Amino acid sequence: ADQFRATLVKHLGSASTDASSASLVLPSMYRAMTDSSSRVRAASAEAYGELVRELGEESVPSLLHDTFLVLLADPFVIVHRAALHVVDRIGVPAAHVREAVDRVN
């Protein structure tokens, strides 16, 4: 069940092509980022990265950026690695760089 949910979550980021359609997936992304399953949380990092890549960081609510940063300090390697991969691939908004560095250290 966790693997199936993780697969669904991965596709949330590419399901939105504009800011108005993103509002439909944001509640699910928030829930996925705080899910009890490490697989689902890792998938949410990937979905976040895809959403930011598709829409641009300015079109994504600041709260979603903040919630993503929590994944950088996740105690599970699968989640931490997925979040770091996103940071490596797309970066983080300039306003969140300091917090990102603090969470990784």
Side-chain angles (χ1 to χ4, degrees):
D2 282 352
Q3 184 60 42
F4 179 70
R5 287 187 311 124
T7 300
L8 292 175
V9 166
K10 280 183 189 180
H11 296 290
L12 288 175
S14 58
S16 299
T17 56
D18 58 43
S20 63
S21 64
S23 66
L24 299 173
V25 300
L26 289 176
S28 296
M29 287 188 70
Y30 288 121
R31 278 193 301 277
M33 287 179 167
T34 59
D35 198 273
S36 62
S37 166
S38 59
R39 285 183 187 206
V40 172
R41 290 193 313 277
S44 75
E46 294 177 41
Y48 165 84
E50 186 62 26
L51 185 69
V52 171
R53 191 184 67 71
E54 283 285 323
L55 303 181
E57 67 184 42
E58 65 284 340
S59 296
V60 176
S62 184
L63 181 59
L64 191 64
H65 295 302
D66 293 338
T67 307
F68 167 76
L69 293 177
V70 173
L71 300 177
L72 289 169
D74 198 284
F76 287 85
V77 173
I78 188 173
V79 179
H80 186 78
R81 184 176 286 155
L84 284 174
H85 180 71
V86 169
V87 170
D88 185 48
R89 202 174 82 232
I90 65 163
V92 293
H96 294 86
V97 169
R98 175 123 177 130
E99 185 178 354
V101 169
D102 288 346
R103 289 189 180 272
V104 171
N105 290 330

